[in-house]
Amino acid sequence: MKKPIFKLLALTTALMAMYSCSNDDSANTLETAKEFKTINVTTHDGRPFDTGKKTNLSNGRYVANPGGGVMMQAFYWDVPAGGTWWNVVNSKITAWSNAGIGSIWLPPVSKAQNGPFSMGYDPTDYFDFGNFNQNGTVETRFGSKTELESLITKVHGENMQVYADIVLNHNSGGQLESNPFTGTQTYTNFTGVASGKFKRTSADFHKNALRNNDEGIFGGFPDLAHVAPNVQDWLWKRSDGVGKFYKNTMKFDGWRFDYVKGFGAWVVKDWNANVGGFSVGELWDANVNLLNDWANNANSSVFDFACYYKMNDAFDGNNLNVLNDDMMWKRNPYKAVTFVANHDTDEIWKKELAYAYILTHEGYPTIFYRDYEEWLNKTKMNNLIWIHNNKATGNTSILYTDTDEYIARRNGYNGNPGLVVYINNSNTWQERWIQTNWTNAQIKDFTGNSGWYPTTQADKWVKIQCPPNGYSIWSINM
């Protein structure tokens, strides 16, 4: 859901400067998708996924799973209107796959109240994908149903997954009706939706005969009552309902649930039990206890807002010690989806350091479209994706922190040696002796930021270095 975020012009200027200053990578020998080797896909803690087949990373394609790949948020707020966005994303799928991205997250795909101008978070008709003349348009802001289907087919053809953004808390665009539960006129009559599916009346919204309210209402929109049998049937129980139609007919592989603070975790749990597929909830809160409790109660992944705010404090607040604090990926890595920015919030300035962090640590990392396609150095981003997919295995040990430096070790798994990541938030080169898991082994920085090729000692200790305001990522030279 979109929240009002006020950005400084200086942020854009700084990002543009970062991009222009970092474009010259001719001196660096980065590991990229072109150098992929054939390995088994692993989870974020290094254990292999049971995918039923071997996966060849030589062409950058692999099966996406929580923690086993990288997700792309394939939109930003106010993407160009005019029905072109599905085609724009379609044109990028092969390149994203070649880079090692395993899944994409799309904005809400159904017709919403603001028609051709809506980002989809004010849903009217869950079954209008740009194929009905409704709310002033046939196509959605993003395109037609045919173009959406073509995009999904392209994603699957590249052995990737596609996740739908699902707004279950509220609806918009209904007609006025006399509401017996409020004694007023309310915009809760959705019996005239063009698809003719999931017709709703005031009985399906709060308050109603069943209850007055649930956990939260958003923006004054009619608040769906998930306890209502009609709502449950059409959202996740019916074979032709929203969830199963999206999964079985439209071929979505998973779900990003919007504003889950607005309804009970049992809703997502029931959806997952009846529909299946990957799921992640937007529970906008830095409290890791709340995130973990919701994820367990919903049987779902959750965006790691605790990690997001700690990274902001660490990299922009100049105190890398806070990376010792609790985060969702530390508490429950299988259910943590990490991110640096999204369509709602974009507060971290030192994004390259933040991406180096989430793409070397446990969790399911998400890349924001504009960071990848517009604002940051794509070669460096592809290098980090390669490192994530090929080296970031095993659990995590934090080796050293101070206000400016952070060093952590991924301990490897099943023959994969893991890595050591060194992040430096100071203005000068730094060096540290650290203990690895490797005996008498030559290592190198797979980012190309350091030209050192040190050999670990018999006791596994070695000296590594890191550039100013940058990062280095070390593993066995093989």
Side-chain angles (χ1 to χ4, degrees):
M1 178 56 58
K2 181 67 175 176
K3 280 78 178 176
I5 300 295
F6 298 96
K7 296 184 174 66
L8 300 175
L9 178 61
L11 174 60
T12 302
T13 304
L15 288 169
M16 292 176 64
M18 184 193 315
Y19 178 84
S20 60
C21 291
S22 60
N23 262 341
D24 186 6
D25 292 311
S26 57
N28 291 337
T29 55
L30 306 183
E31 304 289 342
T32 67
K34 294 179 180 179
E35 297 163 320
F36 277 163
K37 300 175 183 177
T38 301
I39 65 171
N40 289 328
V41 177
T42 58
T43 66
H44 44 232
D45 73 342
R47 291 185 292 156
F49 277 115
D50 182 14
T51 61
K53 59 183 178 182
K54 296 294 184 181
T55 304
N56 188 350
L57 288 186
S58 63
N59 59 8
R61 297 164 173 81
Y62 63 99
V63 175
N65 277 289
V70 177
M71 184 195 312
M72 171 69 75
Q73 180 178 353
F75 67 100
Y76 54 92
W77 198 255
D78 284 345
V79 300
T84 62
W85 191 250
W86 296 148
N87 290 336
V88 169
V89 175
N90 195 321
S91 71
K92 298 181 181 298
I93 294 302
T94 298
W96 290 351
S97 175
N98 288 338
I101 293 165
S103 61
I104 67 169
W105 154 28
L106 297 181
V109 297
S110 64
K111 189 70 60 63
Q113 180 179 8
N114 285 326
F117 308 106
S118 177
M119 285 295 297
Y121 292 95
D122 50 340
T124 298
D125 188 343
Y126 288 97
F127 294 90
D128 181 355
F129 304 98
N131 50 311
F132 293 102
N133 190 353
Q134 184 171 208
N135 293 354
T137 181
V138 174
E139 292 191 348
T140 67
R141 181 190 189 102
F142 313 112
S144 67
K145 180 182 180 182
T146 299
E147 290 164 344
L148 173 61
E149 291 171 329
S150 175
L151 168 58
I152 294 171
T153 299
K154 181 65 171 290
V155 171
H156 290 151
E158 295 291 348
N159 202 17
M160 299 166 69
Q161 294 189 343
V162 56
Y163 306 147
D165 203 317
I166 300 291
V167 184
L168 300 184
N169 179 72
H170 53 270
N171 290 167
S172 188
Q175 302 300 308
L176 273 175
E177 65 177 344
S178 296
N179 190 326
F181 309 105
T182 65
T184 63
Q185 296 273 308
T186 55
Y187 288 95
T188 50
N189 183 352
F190 291 82
T191 60
V193 290
S195 69
K197 297 181 178 182
F198 193 13
K199 297 179 180 181
R200 289 142 280 164
T201 68
S202 58
D204 299 309
F205 297 89
H206 294 116
K207 63 182 183 177
N208 58 20
L210 299 170
R211 63 197 305 184
N212 289 335
N213 59 274
D214 60 1
E215 283 73 7
I217 190 169
F218 186 87
F221 292 126
D223 189 47
L224 271 175
H226 302 93
V227 294
N230 183 57
V231 174
Q232 292 186 19
D233 286 346
W234 273 105
L235 285 182
W236 63 80
K237 289 184 176 179
R238 292 174 61 120
S239 61
D240 59 344
V242 175
K244 293 175 183 177
F245 187 89
Y246 277 47
K247 186 173 187 288
N248 300 326
T249 301
M250 297 301 292
K251 305 300 183 183
F252 281 100
D253 303 292
W255 328 102
R256 180 267 188 187
F257 293 103
D258 181 66
Y259 188 57
V260 297
K261 278 190 173 183
F263 48 92
W266 67 270
V267 173
V268 172
K269 182 179 181 179
D270 278 14
W271 175 294
N272 289 338
N274 282 272
V275 179
F278 171 74
S279 75
V280 57
E282 181 216 25
L283 195 146
W284 195 324
D285 204 298
N287 187 323
V288 69
N289 293 318
L290 293 179
L291 296 172
N292 192 45
D293 288 347
W294 184 89
N296 288 331
N297 291 332
N299 191 28
S300 172
S301 296
V302 66
F303 283 106
D304 195 348
F305 278 92
C307 176
Y308 172 78
Y309 286 112
K310 291 301 178 184
M311 289 193 296
N312 188 47
D313 293 342
F315 303 130
D316 295 347
N318 300 311
N319 183 12
L320 270 58
N321 282 315
V322 302
L323 296 177
N324 290 306
D325 293 349
D326 202 5
M327 305 176 197
M328 184 62 191
W329 73 258
K330 298 181 183 182
R331 185 76 67 87
N332 199 339
Y334 290 101
K335 294 181 178 178
V337 176
T338 53
F339 66 101
V340 174
N342 62 31
H343 62 295
D344 281 335
T345 185
D346 193 1
E347 298 182 11
I348 298 173
W349 287 45
K350 295 183 178 180
K351 290 186 172 184
E352 289 188 337
L353 302 187
Y355 277 112
Y357 182 84
I358 69 169
L359 286 162
T360 54
H361 285 67
E362 293 164 84
Y364 189 3
T366 305
I367 294 175
F368 183 46
Y369 178 93
R370 301 198 82 171
D371 287 341
Y372 185 84
E373 289 292 341
E374 299 177 23
W375 290 339
L376 300 182
N377 184 296
K378 190 178 292 187
T379 300
K380 291 183 177 181
M381 292 290 286
N382 286 344
N383 169 244
L384 286 172
I385 294 168
W386 184 92
I387 289 170
H388 173 271
N389 293 341
N390 288 268
K391 300 294 183 182
T393 59
N395 58 18
T396 303
S397 301
I398 298 177
L399 304 180
Y400 178 84
T401 63
D402 62 25
T403 56
D404 292 328
E405 298 172 65
Y406 173 88
I407 306 176
R409 185 178 68 221
R410 292 295 299 276
N411 291 306
Y413 180 82
N414 197 27
N416 188 303
L419 58 80
V420 171
V421 55
Y422 191 167
I423 299 176
N424 176 15
N425 203 33
S426 76
N427 294 322
T428 59
W429 279 84
Q430 300 293 336
E431 301 174 0
R432 290 283 169 189
W433 281 92
I434 53 99
Q435 188 173 30
T436 70
N437 291 322
W438 314 311
T439 301
N440 300 323
Q442 186 185 70
I443 64 173
K444 74 171 185 177
D445 172 18
F446 278 79
T447 73
N449 291 330
S450 170
W452 285 9
Y453 288 81
T455 298
T456 63
Q457 299 178 154
D459 59 3
K460 303 180 181 180
W461 284 79
V462 69
K463 181 189 280 189
I464 58 175
Q465 65 172 184
C466 190
N469 297 302
Y471 55 87
S472 55
I473 303 171
W474 305 81
S475 190
I476 295 175
N477 185 17
M478 55 185 293

